[in-house]
Amino acid sequence: QVQLVQSGAEVKKPGASVKVSCKASGYSFISYGITWVRQAPGQGLEWMGWISAYNNNTNYVQKFQGRVTMTTDTSTSTAYMELRSLRSDDTAVYYCARVSLLMGIVEFDYWGQGTLVTVSS
Amino acid sequence: DIQMTQSPSSLSASVGDRVTITCRASQSISSYLNWYQQKPGKAPKLLIYAASSLKSGVPSRFSGSGSGTDFSLTISSLQPEDVATYYCQQSYSSGFTFGQGTKLEIK
């Protein structure tokens, strides 16, 4: 069965960087993309961007351009999201999800369990 | 960027009620609209894709409709396990923006 397992919770100081991993299993990793969505405490879902595991093409939300890097390691079927220059308002649960693209229809069809990133001095 | 606006922001209904949540896009998105369910403390789950297609394994009491700018998610007979926040998401342009969510509670 399809599973996405994310790395554990992180506590970081303002200005630091965090790198969250998302290990996929149960499907052909390079046949799909991986997207990252975050959720601040008590808030809604915020899409951050996505990466094609096939060719490593990325598409980042403009708000995060220059601060975020999404990568994949096809040898271990793992995706990574690095966010730099952390601020307190980056405190959130970060989710990875599989991106399914079929006949122009985009779905985020399987999700990881989420990783809490806390930014605090 | 395409903005997605859901209404209402919260909703309280009784078990067995028919419940409808609406989602409006700031421009036409054809049928490129997904609905997700998020239960407290859990990751979101895809319910409906392409506006009206039910994801495999999702109970048939959930349905979606609409095209262009106006969409709706309907639960035909509300069950206790449907307590959750529901989000619409456009997949028309690569912004993939979400609505602000609708919190559904049992009365």
Side-chain angles (χ1 to χ4, degrees), chain A:
Chain A
Q1 73 282 21
V2 174
Q3 277 194 306
L4 299 174
V5 179
Q6 298 183 223
S7 49
E10 303 263 12
V11 179
K12 296 292 183 181
K13 293 192 183 303
S17 299
V18 68
K19 192 169 186 177
V20 179
S21 68
C22 171
K23 183 170 176 59
S25 61
Y27 71 96
S28 171
F29 184 68
I30 62 170
S31 296
Y32 295 83
I34 293 287
T35 190
W36 293 87
V37 176
R38 75 177 187 179
Q39 186 169 40
Q43 301 302 308
L45 302 174
E46 181 177 27
W47 184 68
M48 298 179 68
W50 75 291
I51 180 168
S52 165
Y54 175 72
N55 58 17
N56 281 321
N57 283 350
T58 55
N59 182 11
Y60 303 142
V61 171
Q62 187 170 9
K63 170 181 178 177
F64 300 105
Q65 289 272 4
R67 278 211 305 146
V68 70
T69 301
M70 297 177 188
T71 57
T72 63
D73 180 347
T74 56
S75 68
T76 59
S77 299
T78 302
Y80 299 91
M81 186 282 299
E82 181 180 34
L83 189 61
R84 300 177 291 278
S85 301
L86 290 168
R87 308 184 288 253
S88 58
D89 62 357
D90 291 318
T91 294
V93 175
Y94 289 76
Y95 293 101
C96 64
R98 190 179 80 165
V99 180
S100 174
L101 175 59
L102 186 64
M103 294 189 294
I105 304 296
V106 176
E107 307 167 18
F108 298 172
D109 60 355
Y110 290 91
W111 294 65
Q113 82 278 18
T115 297
L116 175 61
V117 175
T118 302
V119 183
S120 174
S121 55

Side-chain angles (χ1 to χ4, degrees), chain B residues 11-20 78 83 104-107:
Chain B
L11 176 58
S12 181
S14 300
V15 172
D17 281 355
R18 181 181 182 88
V19 170
T20 297
L78 185 65
V83 169
L104 176 58
E105 298 175 329
I106 299 289
K107 196 180 292 182

Side-chain angles (χ1 to χ4, degrees), chain B residues 7-102:
Chain B
S7 61
S9 296
S10 63
L11 176 58
S12 181
S14 300
V15 172
D17 281 355
R18 181 181 182 88
V19 170
T20 297
I21 297 168
T22 63
C23 177
R24 174 164 288 177
S26 60
Q27 67 183 72
S28 177
I29 57 171
S30 184
S31 296
Y32 294 99
L33 192 284
N34 302 327
W35 288 97
Y36 298 85
Q37 175 193 63
Q38 186 180 31
K39 295 184 177 181
K42 300 294 187 183
K45 172 188 172 183
L46 178 64
L47 297 178
I48 303 278
Y49 63 96
S52 59
S53 296
L54 194 67
K55 192 66 179 173
S56 175
V58 174
S60 59
R61 63 180 179 273
F62 290 92
S63 64
S65 65
S67 66
T69 60
D70 294 314
F71 302 87
S72 62
L73 172 71
T74 297
I75 307 173
S76 61
S77 178
L78 185 65
Q79 300 301 304
E81 60 266 32
D82 300 334
V83 169
T85 300
Y86 293 84
Y87 295 92
C88 62
Q89 179 206 29
Q90 64 86 11
S91 59
Y92 177 80
S93 73
S94 60
F96 299 145
T97 40
F98 290 93
Q100 81 279 14
T102 295

